[in-house]
Amino acid sequence: MIHAGTPINDLTDELVGVFGNPAILIGIPLALVGAVFMSFGAQYQHRGVQKVERLTAQAGVSGLTGSQLLRLLTRPSWVLGTVMLGLAIVCQLAALSFAPLILVQPIGAISLVITTLLNARISGHKPTRRSITSIALCVGGIFIFVTVAALYATERPISDGQLLTVLGILLGVVVVLGVLWGTLRKRMRALFYIVAAGVVYGFVATLAKVVINRIANGDFEWLTVLCIVALLAGTAMGAYFVQTAYSSGPPDLVIAGLTVIDPIVAIVIGLAVLNEAQGAPLGAYIGFAIAGVLAVTGVFQLARYHPQVVSESQEIPITRGSADAAEGRRPSTGSIRLTEAVSKVWPEPPVKDEDRPGR
């Protein structure tokens, strides 16, 4: 662990030592495999949601119904996507056990790039200059954010008071999101569901860490049980928001929001509530702010300029898309080559999920 106030020479030695750890050779491939699973899982789940919408002739933009959620269980693509996302989580946790956060989290953001290429191949919406810039902001911002966190954050014992504070904030977040969804869901777009899922999953990640530590230390009492209940409830709520986001936005936009907002929220909780960066210099907090702004700006810009969003949401009265998309120009040669490369690896969808009613 790298502690705050570490002299620069010692810090360099510790970082070099990190790469000299043979376990890294296991952690990095696991993180890469997890990123691939997340990318394909998102694409399959998105396809399953789209199929259910067509079969029920009911758009899920304002929230999937109970009947639609049950139908998802009958779609092979959605089930396979769920399994892949589960495997992605397993790979991510396994990678963290072998490699430090500073390496694992940025590698996880690669899933955004993979998902973008897959979605371009399947939907036919080639990435534009502005959408690629937005993705670069997302990946670069989260890389800087996690790097600063890894350099200055220190893991501290979590008191019962701090844990109750986290649970109280989560309850407030759930109430606010629930009220917004209940009153404004007919006007909500994909960005709301993506941000909501990312925020909730940030708390879920924190609670998962707490529960694992408490069980490992034999500290299983009423507060641990309460954390487990909140963890399961948050997971269910986040999953619902993600599935609804798939009905109103492309999968790479959803992944962009999750890979940016989820870790930022988790780290902010660690900084503000758990005091994991106590004693860090002012420059570290400035770095957090700049990196966070870059990453979040990337998400909002992608929501505005994503070619599929531009194509499918022209009814929104705001200027959308880059000049290339607006003028109908062909994508750059680089985009075409990337799409052709993906088509050679995945020429046809591996799962045939035909438009037929589920049994």
Side-chain angles (χ1 to χ4, degrees), residues 165-231:
T165 300
V166 172
L167 290 172
I169 297 174
L170 174 58
L171 178 60
V173 168
V174 168
V175 170
V176 171
L177 293 177
V179 170
L180 289 175
W181 178 82
T183 57
L184 303 174
R185 66 179 181 273
K186 291 185 178 180
R187 288 184 286 174
M188 293 298 185
R189 297 293 171 182
L191 193 58
F192 166 78
Y193 295 107
I194 292 167
V195 172
V199 170
V200 172
Y201 278 150
F203 282 90
V204 167
T206 301
L207 291 176
K209 176 181 176 182
V210 170
V211 169
I212 291 173
N213 287 341
R214 283 183 169 247
I215 293 178
N217 295 324
D219 189 11
F220 193 85
E221 28 72 64
W222 70 271
L223 192 53
T224 304
V225 174
L226 184 59
C227 286
I228 294 175
V229 172
L231 174 65

Side-chain angles (χ1 to χ4, degrees), residues 146-165:
V146 174
T147 299
V148 175
L151 292 176
Y152 292 102
T154 57
E155 188 170 346
R156 300 174 182 272
I158 301 175
S159 66
D160 290 351
Q162 289 175 322
L163 189 51
L164 288 172
T165 300

Side-chain angles (χ1 to χ4, degrees), residues 23 49 84-85 91 155 166 179 208 232 238 248 258 260-261 280 293-294 300 321:
V49 171
M84 286 187 169
L85 289 178
C91 289
E155 188 170 346
V166 172
V179 170
L232 295 175
S248 52
L258 294 182
V260 168
I261 297 172
V293 169
L294 287 176
F300 279 83

Side-chain angles (χ1 to χ4, degrees), residues 14-194:
E14 289 194 45
L15 287 176
V16 172
V18 164
F19 287 98
N21 183 0
I24 297 296
L25 299 177
I26 301 176
I28 291 179
L30 282 172
L32 287 171
V33 172
V36 173
F37 275 134
M38 178 174 289
S39 302
F40 279 84
Q43 194 66 58
Y44 281 126
Q45 280 201 331
H46 177 265
R47 182 188 305 168
V49 171
Q50 297 291 313
K51 295 284 187 180
V52 166
E53 284 186 309
R54 288 199 291 271
L55 290 173
T56 58
Q58 181 178 358
V61 176
S62 59
L64 296 174
T65 65
S67 173
Q68 287 177 318
L69 291 175
L70 290 176
R71 280 178 174 265
L72 286 177
L73 299 176
T74 68
R75 307 312 306 176
S77 58
W78 187 87
V79 173
L80 181 58
T82 302
V83 172
M84 286 187 169
L85 289 178
L87 291 173
I89 293 173
V90 171
C91 289
Q92 182 87 352
L93 294 176
L96 286 172
S97 67
F98 288 101
L101 179 69
I102 189 175
L103 293 179
V104 173
Q105 191 64 51
I107 290 175
I110 292 176
S111 61
L112 171 57
V113 178
I114 300 174
T115 307
T116 299
L117 297 178
L118 291 178
N119 191 60
R121 165 62 182 166
I122 294 172
S123 68
H125 294 89
K126 308 295 190 299
T128 60
R129 173 175 49 82
R130 281 186 168 176
S131 67
I132 292 175
T133 301
S134 301
I135 292 170
L137 284 174
C138 292
V139 176
I142 198 61
F143 179 84
I144 297 172
F145 196 95
V146 174
T147 299
V148 175
L151 292 176
Y152 292 102
T154 57
E155 188 170 346
R156 300 174 182 272
I158 301 175
S159 66
D160 290 351
Q162 289 175 322
L163 189 51
L164 288 172
T165 300
V166 172
L167 290 172
I169 297 174
L170 174 58
L171 178 60
V173 168
V174 168
V175 170
V176 171
L177 293 177
V179 170
L180 289 175
W181 178 82
T183 57
L184 303 174
R185 66 179 181 273
K186 291 185 178 180
R187 288 184 286 174
M188 293 298 185
R189 297 293 171 182
L191 193 58
F192 166 78
Y193 295 107
I194 292 167

Side-chain angles (χ1 to χ4, degrees), residues 292-339:
V293 169
L294 287 176
V296 173
T297 299
V299 175
F300 279 83
Q301 290 297 305
L302 188 61
R304 183 182 180 116
Y305 295 113
H306 191 288
Q308 188 170 340
V309 174
V310 173
S311 174
E312 298 176 357
S313 304
Q314 291 295 338
E315 72 275 7
I316 300 179
I318 60 175
T319 303
R320 289 180 172 273
S322 65
D324 293 342
E327 297 174 13
R329 289 186 229 157
R330 291 179 59 82
S332 65
T333 303
S335 297
I336 296 175
R337 288 177 178 173
L338 286 175
T339 304

Side-chain angles (χ1 to χ4, degrees), residues 255-267:
I255 293 297
L258 294 182
T259 55
V260 168
I261 297 172
D262 178 346
I264 286 180
V265 170
I267 292 174

